[in-house]
Amino acid sequence: MMIGNWLDIGPITQIEPGTARTLPVVGGEEIAVFHTMRNEFFAIVNKCPHKQGPLSQGIVHGDVVTCPLHNWNISLRSGKALGDDEGCVPTIPLKVDAGRIYLLRSAVIGAQDKAA
Amino acid sequence: MNAPMNFEEGKPAGQVRERLVVIGNGMAGCRAVEEILARDPGRFDVTIFGAEPRVNYNRIMLSPVLAGEKTFDEIVINTQEWYDDNGITLVSGDKVVEIDREHKRVVAASGRIEPYDKLLIATGSDPFIIPVPGKDLDGVVTFRDLDDVDKMLDAAEKGGPDGGQGRAVVIGGGLLGLEAAHGLNLRGMNVTVIHLMPTLMERQLDEAAGWLLKTELERRGQTILTGANTKEIIGKDGKVAGVRLEDGTEIPADIVVMAVGIRPATGLAREAGLEVERGIMVDDHMVTSDPAILSVGECVQHRGLCYGLVAPLWDMCRALADFVTESPSGYEGSVTSTKLKVSGIDLFSAGDFSGGEGCEDIVMRDASRGVYKRVIVKDSKVLGAVLYGDTADGSWYFDLMKKGEDVSDIREALIFGQAFASGGALADPNAAVAALSDDAEICGCNGVSKGQVVSCINGGAHSLDAVRSTCKASASCGSCTGLVESLLALTLGGEVESGPKTMCKCTSFTHGDVRKLIVEKGLKEIPQVMQELHWTTPDGCASCRPALNYYLLCAWPGEYEDDQKSRFVNERMHANIQKDGTYSVVPRMWGGLTSPKELRAIADVVEKFNAPMVKVTGGQRLDIFGIKKEDLPAVWADLNAAGMVSGHAYGKSLRTVKTCVGSEWCRFGTQDSTGLGVQIERMTWGSWMPHKFKIAVSGCPRNCAEATIKDFGVVCVDSGYELHIAGNGGIKVRATDLLCKVETEQEALDMCAAFIQFYREDAYYLERTAPWVERVGLQYVKDALGEEGAVERYAARFHYSQQFMQDDPWAKRAAGEHEKLHQHLAEVRPFPASQMENA
Ligand SMILES: Cc1cc2nc3c(=O)[nH]c(=O)nc-3n(C[C@H](O)[C@H](O)[C@H](O)COP(=O)(O)OP(=O)(O)OC[C@H]3O[C@@H](n4cnc5c(N)ncnc54)[C@H](O)[C@@H]3O)c2cc1C
Ligand code: HEM
Ligand code: SF4
Ligand code: FES
């Protein structure tokens, strides 16, 4: 993949393990970037498929976030609601290299299309 | 025979050997040569360049060398004779600086030029140096080769500045860092390990195993700082003097070992124009983008992966040798496993343990032996394993994993330790529930009717958990759990499996057991509770983590460090999340009293931050709505400036103390209810509770402050104070029970403190006083507090714990604590689409 396709959003240390931080996209959907307790990183659109709860504010366990509003469990890996809930939130491809986080640029922009 | 000899001595004419040049005299480079020699010893003229001034040795054994368990001679793999016997030219201590692909030759630092027919790049990797100030100081070392080991041994020998014990700081709590720390510790140094992540070796271990490892290393005298971010390496006279962390902590050091990771050494290849991503790109035969150049070892990237362990290198070298000797086999990638080479610590990890959809964790803990085992299964196959304390089965799991064997037949035996057998039945079918109509609402949160619950049970959901996950009843606030359980019992008759209600799916213990055991066994950290009480999951769930966090906070005030990750969002943000994702802010107004200054500050905040609504709450204070997450610290700072602190309207904690006007103004008033309310609120604010806790004080039995539907209510009478408990104004209204009557304000305050503490220590997490008293009985509470000296004891414990609770969380946040929780990372402003195409 071409270097230019990845958007550098800064060092991994800016997100405490077990939490998420947000990345507003002008004219698009806000993205939540997660750092799990097991040191994995994920990026998804910051909108619960149930009633748009801010997933970045949920409790993170394993690779799952529990939505702060009504406790849906969302897989950070697939964006899918787990258990018997149905719904899906767009995921944004992410990679970590030399301590920095990169998001796939086209997906950052594209997040707006899918969700709109 | 008189066959003409080639000018190269000893080689028959017509069989000019191809020239193979190897860059890197390390583990992979030499192994590749060995593999080739084993297949076809006469094929190549071999020249090996090594930057290190020595023969090839077993790099992984540098750890035992550092620890004093081995000498360098013992870890040499190939002696000089081996090179000589096989006609290999070893150019050691001379680094290759250029690959000239056009002329097919390499150039070394000494100026030596070596032509090649085939080139093998085996440059391994370079230690990653974190770019902090002071990284180049004398005394900052990495852990990669023998020279590094020598530097560490020197430092250990020299000791501290005044002849005392030498102090080493190891940055990085991964495999390498911990082996370095262990070695330095054995060499008599005082060692501190700084690790960025909350868990040691988080790539190989989960939280549970990481905690066991940390405890063991601490027991051996090392200081382990997790979640610690290095800000700077401090120097003195050009030499290292210590390390400063982001939070300001300074750790003195005579040597700093950076062991934060490695990066494939790709510089030469990149400059030569070979295809390089993270590593040098190779195909299944270890061929790079130039057919004359091969590469193996840590410097390569194969099918998207770079490796940092030796096992994959062996597989790579076999494939490479097969290929160059014209019997290509192909390398398909490796599954790796890890062991830590620290004597006395048994630890094994393999495969993927990050969990996820469809993964099942099988966990076995044996606290008495310090054993933790976890096997991750998906689609009946072993996906990964983490073992601590007993690694005997490591290779078996690894084997099952590599072969992808179906384990459904041995699933039960895969890990020993049957879940605790469930105890006797409790459920007592409830006639009132039976009498409800089908459309009666059972779960208010999720709008589920009795009919829906029953049909969901009939549809196969035979347990509380199943009902929760299929129709959501009782899955949110849980207040209808009792109803759902009754429905289960009514619908299924005796078939519902209802052991004593366990805390959650992760344990077979009840809340009561867990609370008792935490105190009895002196358990002081979440992973310790999980280990000692044999949790069946690796790191708990969203239901038990907050409960454990509270129990520990209550049991060990001042000692236990609150685990932010185990708190619900409201308690982490110190504000209430609203349905649109914004927050409401409720500053404390002591006893419902306020002042022009406070009101002005609130008015200013409302205007400054465009809060769309302000409301008088039922708790006699003001609620500011619609505040954005990122504005919270600024809002708090403004409110703090006017002397206001957090109202904890968001927490499982003391909320508010409602008062009426009382004897000060009211013609009916018997006592100063307002003043007492203020005193009570000053005494109790900030305390974390099993659930929210509300108090009120009314100045006479007309009870305008509605004290008899509070968790603790005071009703003043002519002769003193009636103290009421366990009222509730929520979904199910419950009037208080009279606890006792006292004569003085002081007695009222003491009893209030004692009652709260008893509730804090006895109730289950998320159990309000009303259901708690109904469960344990009023008499139980009266007896407990009625014992000789009990009120004093409980009150004293409450006051002790309050010392640590009464610091305003808003003030800390406004001053910058956890600022990352509030700020966006950045903002993306996309370019117009046309520009994007070219980006
Ligand atoms: C302390 C320690 C403990 C370890 N423990 C384990 C363990 O327990 N288990 C495990 O599986 N793995 C372990 N490893 C990792 C293992 O050692 C490596 O995976 C392995 O050594 C990689 O082999 P390699 O040949 O790719 O690189 P290396 O062994 O590093 O060899 C590369 C060689 O190339 C040389 N070189 C680089 N550039 C040039 C150049 N331009 N010109 C000439 N020479 C050059 C280097 O000097 C080096 O000698 C450990 C590593 C260390 C440092
Ligand atoms: C039994 C007869 C009652 C009488 C005679 C009575 C009398 C009073 C008086 C005189 C006040 C005004 C105090 C002041 O601001 O000067 C008052 C306030 C109030 N009363 Fe009552 N009351 C009675 C019952 C109740 C009951 C049953 C409730 C609610 C359950 C109630 C709720 C209130 C409230 C909320 C206030 C305002 C208190 C405050 O904001 O400080 N009253 N009452
Ligand atoms: S409770 Fe009694 S003292 Fe208080 S305001 Fe009401 S009437 Fe007055
Ligand atoms: S909005 Fe996420 S669970 Fe309802």
Side-chain angles (χ1 to χ4, degrees), chain A residues 48-55 67-74:
Chain A
C48 178
H50 179 218
K51 290 187 177 170
Q52 284 83 51
L55 295 169
C67 176
L69 294 195
H70 317 93
N71 298 330
W72 277 30
N73 283 316
I74 311 294

Side-chain angles (χ1 to χ4, degrees), chain A residues 13-14 17 21-22 24-26 30 37-40 57-59 63 69 77-78 82 84-85 105 109, chain B residues 197-198 202 354 356-357 469 472 539 565 567 569 572 583 629 820 823-828 830 836:
Chain A
T13 48
Q14 61 189 346
R21 290 183 66 189
T22 43
V25 178
V26 172
E30 182 165 288
M37 300 274 284
R38 290 167 194 158
N39 207 21
E40 289 189 286
Q57 308 294 308
I59 287 193
D63 63 350
L69 294 195
R77 220 172 274 285
S78 64
L82 303 177
D84 296 296
D85 296 320
R105 196 186 285 267
I109 315 301
Chain B
M197 298 297 148
E202 77 288 340
S354 52
E357 279 176 86
S469 68
K472 287 272 143 186
D539 52 10
K565 298 179 297 294
R567 286 195 172 268
V569 56
R572 258 184 296 146
Y583 290 81
K629 175 182 72 171
K820 288 172 187 160
Q823 294 161 350
H824 291 304
L825 277 169
E827 192 179 64
V828 180
M836 278 306 302

Side-chain angles (χ1 to χ4, degrees), chain B residues 620 659-661 666-668 702-704 706:
Chain B
Q620 298 186 341
T659 64
C660 76
V661 286
C666 179
R667 63 188 194 282
F668 298 107
R702 287 163 194 82
N703 194 13
C704 302
E706 296 151 338

